[in-house]
Structures are given as C-alpha cells and as structure tokens.
Amino acid sequence: MALKLASNFNEKAKLWVDGRRNWEEKIASKISETDKVLWVHCSSLGEFEQGRPVIEELKEKYPTHKIAVSFFSPSGYEIRKNYQGADLIFYLPLDTKSNAEKLIKVLHPEILILVKYEYWFNLISALHQHNIPTIVVSSIFRKSQNFFKKNGNNWFAKKLKLIHHFFVQNQQSKELLDAIQISQNTIAGDTRFDRVKQIIHQDNQLDFMNYFKGNSKLIVVGSSWPKDEELFVELINQNLKEDWKILFAPHNLNESAINSFLVQVDSKAIKYSDLDKTTEQDLTLSKVFILNTIGILSKVYAYADITYIGGGFGAGIHNTLEAVTFGNPVVFGPKYKKFQEAVDLIEIGGGFSISNQQDFNNIMNRLMNDENFRKESGQKAGNFVQNSPNATKIILDYLDQIL
C-alpha cells in the first residue's frame, strides 16, 4: 500500500508497482506449458552480476531449456530487462501464498536458483510442496541474523531447512548452517569472482579514456556518494600532483548533485555527457572526469592505478571486485564488514578502509607517492581474484546431478 501511494510521486516506486501489473499474462506470453524452465532470482543488479556466470553456463549446457530471470528491484530489472542471455525477465510478484501458487503454475520451473539471499518464505514453501528444488548460490550468513537466534522454536530456521542446497561463500557461513542442522551446504566461494575474471579478457579500450588519461596516473572512484566525493575535494584542490588525474562514476547521476560537487573543485573538469562537444585537447587538459553514464565502468577500471569504491559511509560499499581484478589497490569507507571480499582484501594488504578525512589523506598520499607500495598492493589484490576457486563450476557440477 505504501509503495502504491509512493508511486504517485516517486519514479522508482512507480516502476516497482507498474512492473508487477499483469505479471501472469507477461510470463504466459513467453512460457508455454511444454517448455522446460530453469529459473534464477536476483534481488537487484549486484545479485544479477553475481548470478550471471551461472545463468550463462546454464544457457550453454541446457540449450533446450528456457532461462527465466526475476528481479525484486527496479535497479536490476530496468537495466537488465533486455539481457539476451535469458528467455524471460520479469518482476517477482509479492510473496503471498496465492501469488506463489500462481507463479509456480504459470512458470512451472524445474528448479529455482536464488542468488546470495532474498528468502521469500511463501514461495520457498510452495516450491517445496511441489517438489521443485530451491538452490542458493554465493550465500553468506552472519551470526546476528534471525535464522540463528536461539529461541527454541526458530520459525526462520525452519523455513531455511526447506532449501534443497546452499552454496556458501565462506567457512563461517557453513558453520552457522551446520549449527542449526542444515547440512545441505557446500563452500563454493563467490560466483562474482568468475564473472570479473572474464573482464580482463574483454576489449576494454575506450577512446575518450586514452585521451583523458594520456601518460598520467589515474584514480577511479566507483559508485561514489556525496560523502565519498567530499573526501576528494581537498586532494584535488591542494594535493593532486601534475601527473595524476581522477575519474568519478557517481552512484546518483542527478545533474544538480554532480554540479554541486563540481563547484567545489578548482581543477578543469569534464563530463561524459559533454563528450560530443569536447575536443581531444579538452580531454588531455582536464584533471577531473565525471562518468555520468552506466555500463562502461568495468572498462574504465582497466585504466586505473588506484581505485576508491563508494558507499562505505552509507548502507555499505559497492562492488570492489571489478576494480581489483585489474590489479589495483582499493580504498573504501568503514562499512565493509558484511562483504567478505573486502574483509579478505584488507587482510592480504590489497584493500584499505578509511573512517575520516585524515585516514583518507594518509593512505591516498602513500599510494600516490610510494610506487612500490602501490604496485605491491595492487598485485596482491589482483592475485586475490585470479586465484579464487571456480564457484560456477562447483555449482554446475552439482546441478548436473539433479537436472
């Protein structure tokens, strides 16, 4: 009800509500009664990228099946609704008993693969009753979650037991599941590693980046929020050396928010949206670049010497793996502990967390001025990705046994 009310004045809420209208008809138009269907559910865009290696392997190994991908959030659906690797992409309807039964009837999947989390309990129960396995991939658990509260009759834990199998990211998650008698689990690591390993081998050349970076060194700031950007104002205005440049990829592409940041910056800056009226000389002379577009940040990371990932002063840091796969050290804010890869990067010396301006100044100055330290940290970060287990293969080997 709240979302329906909000949809009158909030674009994201409107997409959320409108996208679920006539969902049964939308599915029925793409899925026939005789189709064999493999279903993957992703909360949003990050989970989609995490599940993408599995989706693509399923498509290749089971060409006679149809691949259905569902999203909860408009942030994932709207960006990937035209993804060619799936036969059907749809919004997951609200988790009611009635919707769960209708969804199973119209989609009739052989399996549901949940990416990382999002446990819709009516749906899980209905799938279990219909003997349709639910598999969770790249899952990660924390002791503070409701599943592990020792209240003698844990409703949440009972629902988790209906899951056919969990592929968890780490030992801690396995031990937590084992402790509540959920033994159907395997440590497989994180499928995102498999995805980002492939990025190095794609064509990452961008003409505008070649002109902008030139012979300079580059800091790439991915998914930045205002609090992250504030840290860089002092660096840009007072401490940015002649041979260094900075590129920002803001999380919020709102023009007024971008402009309010740029008025604080003394150096010459340029925006991606202005490239059509920009000369090669303008790019060469600019010290700051605003990547106010989506879809090419993974290519931009190939040009980085240092990366900073935003979100660490808000709900939590964004994706670090696309950045470090190119062998660059990564810096981020204090809210990173829910992200195993960030914890591991700090432990091996490939990542650095900061809590305030002084922390930021110290680590950035050291990374910029000490080339050996920067390269050693970057090499540790790159090796961390390249040496990770092939989670997708572990998962697909299991799926081969039950499909």
Side-chain angles (χ1 to χ4, degrees):
M1 290 174 65
L3 280 163
K4 285 182 178 179
L5 179 63
S7 67
N8 293 314
F9 51 85
N10 181 283
E11 181 60 27
K12 191 170 183 179
K14 187 176 189 306
L15 289 169
W16 196 96
V17 171
D18 290 348
R20 285 168 169 78
R21 286 200 176 98
N22 304 316
W23 61 267
E24 287 179 88
E25 290 85 350
K26 292 175 184 176
I27 294 174
S29 69
K30 295 289 184 76
I31 302 295
S32 73
E33 292 182 359
T34 58
D35 285 332
K36 296 183 289 184
V37 179
L38 305 176
W39 175 19
V40 180
H41 174 69
C42 313
S43 171
S44 191
L45 185 60
E47 289 72 39
F48 170 80
E49 293 301 330
Q50 203 159 23
R52 190 168 177 171
V54 176
I55 295 169
E56 292 175 352
E57 283 293 317
L58 287 173
K59 187 73 173 174
E60 184 174 337
K61 294 195 76 170
Y62 299 95
T64 61
H65 284 66
K66 284 194 172 180
I67 307 296
V69 176
S70 59
F71 287 96
F72 177 77
S73 166
S75 301
Y77 176 85
E78 295 300 326
I79 292 175
R80 294 302 181 198
K81 61 186 177 184
N82 297 316
Y83 170 61
Q84 297 299 305
D87 302 282
L88 166 67
I89 301 175
F90 66 101
Y91 276 106
L92 187 74
L94 286 172
D95 188 43
T96 65
K97 289 182 179 180
S98 173
N99 280 348
E101 289 294 335
K102 291 176 184 177
L103 181 53
I104 290 171
K105 184 177 180 180
V106 70
L107 191 61
H108 53 82
E110 290 186 17
I111 194 170
L112 168 61
I113 299 170
L114 292 173
V115 181
K116 193 174 182 179
Y117 47 49
E118 286 224 332
Y119 302 103
W120 299 106
F121 296 123
N122 286 311
L123 178 59
I124 289 170
S125 296
L127 288 165
H128 180 74
Q129 290 166 9
H130 287 272
N131 295 315
I132 299 170
T134 300
I135 309 295
V136 186
V137 302
S138 295
S139 59
I140 191 163
F141 293 98
R142 301 181 306 280
K143 192 175 182 179
S144 60
Q145 289 173 303
N146 283 327
F147 310 119
F148 311 108
K149 301 279 177 70
K150 295 182 179 179
N151 55 15
N153 187 25
N154 192 320
W155 182 89
F156 296 98
K158 287 180 179 178
K159 290 297 182 182
L160 279 195
K161 290 178 182 180
L162 301 181
I163 303 286
H164 199 80
H165 204 89
F166 292 87
F167 289 93
V168 298
Q169 292 188 32
N170 56 24
Q171 181 68 30
Q172 180 189 25
S173 296
K174 176 177 175 54
E175 290 173 359
L176 286 169
L177 289 175
D178 287 342
I180 57 172
Q181 288 76 54
I182 297 179
S183 59
Q184 65 272 26
N185 66 76
T186 302
I187 300 175
D190 189 341
T191 51
R192 286 182 303 163
F193 285 84
D194 304 330
R195 172 67 181 158
V196 299
K197 285 177 190 177
Q198 300 167 6
I199 294 175
I200 293 181
H201 304 294
Q202 70 184 16
D203 180 6
N204 292 302
Q205 288 296 309
L206 295 165
D207 288 342
F208 74 90
M209 285 300 301
N210 292 330
Y211 290 115
F212 174 66
K213 182 176 181 179
N215 295 320
S216 301
K217 297 181 182 66
L218 180 67
I219 301 168
V220 174
V221 186
S223 300
S224 61
W225 291 78
K227 180 65 176 176
D228 303 300
E229 291 155 6
E230 287 173 17
L231 296 168
F232 281 89
V233 173
E234 180 181 324
L235 173 63
I236 295 169
N237 292 345
Q238 299 178 27
N239 299 318
L240 192 62
K241 292 186 176 180
E242 192 63 33
D243 59 341
W244 280 89
K245 293 187 176 185
I246 303 181
L247 180 145
F248 292 88
H251 182 79
N252 182 0
L253 299 183
N254 179 274
E255 189 171 359
S256 63
I258 292 171
N259 290 336
S260 67
F261 166 66
L262 288 178
V263 296
Q264 304 174 62
V265 174
D266 294 338
S267 298
K268 180 176 175 58
I270 200 161
K271 292 186 283 191
Y272 180 87
S273 56
D274 294 331
L275 281 182
D276 60 343
K277 51 188 177 185
T278 300
T279 66
E280 294 172 6
Q281 186 177 22
D282 289 331
L283 282 166
T284 302
L285 294 176
S286 296
K287 296 285 284 183
V288 175
F289 192 101
I290 306 297
L291 191 72
N292 56 340
T293 188
I294 59 173
I296 58 174
L297 180 56
S298 63
K299 293 178 180 287
V300 169
Y301 282 134
Y303 291 84
D305 295 281
I306 300 171
T307 52
Y308 178 100
I309 302 300
F313 289 93
I317 62 171
H318 294 277
N319 186 356
T320 58
L321 294 179
E322 284 188 352
V324 299
T325 192
F326 290 101
N328 298 309
V330 63
V331 181
F332 41 79
K335 293 187 179 178
Y336 67 88
K337 293 182 180 177
K338 290 183 179 180
F339 304 89
Q340 185 64 41
E341 67 277 9
V343 174
D344 293 341
L345 281 165
I346 289 175
E347 186 175 328
I348 64 168
F352 306 90
S353 175
I354 53 101
S355 298
N356 51 50
Q357 185 75 55
Q358 189 59 53
D359 288 349
F360 173 82
N361 291 347
N362 290 342
I363 189 59
M364 293 305 291
N365 284 334
R366 186 177 182 192
L367 286 170
M368 293 170 69
N369 295 321
D370 187 337
E371 185 176 1
N372 288 334
F373 174 67
R374 182 175 70 250
K375 289 185 174 180
E376 286 173 8
S377 301
Q379 186 174 32
K380 291 174 182 176
N383 290 341
F384 171 67
V385 173
Q386 297 305 317
N387 296 335
S388 64
N390 190 328
T392 302
K393 183 180 186 305
I394 295 170
I395 293 163
L396 264 291
D397 287 348
Y398 174 85
L399 293 178
D400 282 346
Q401 300 173 33
I402 65 172
L403 287 175

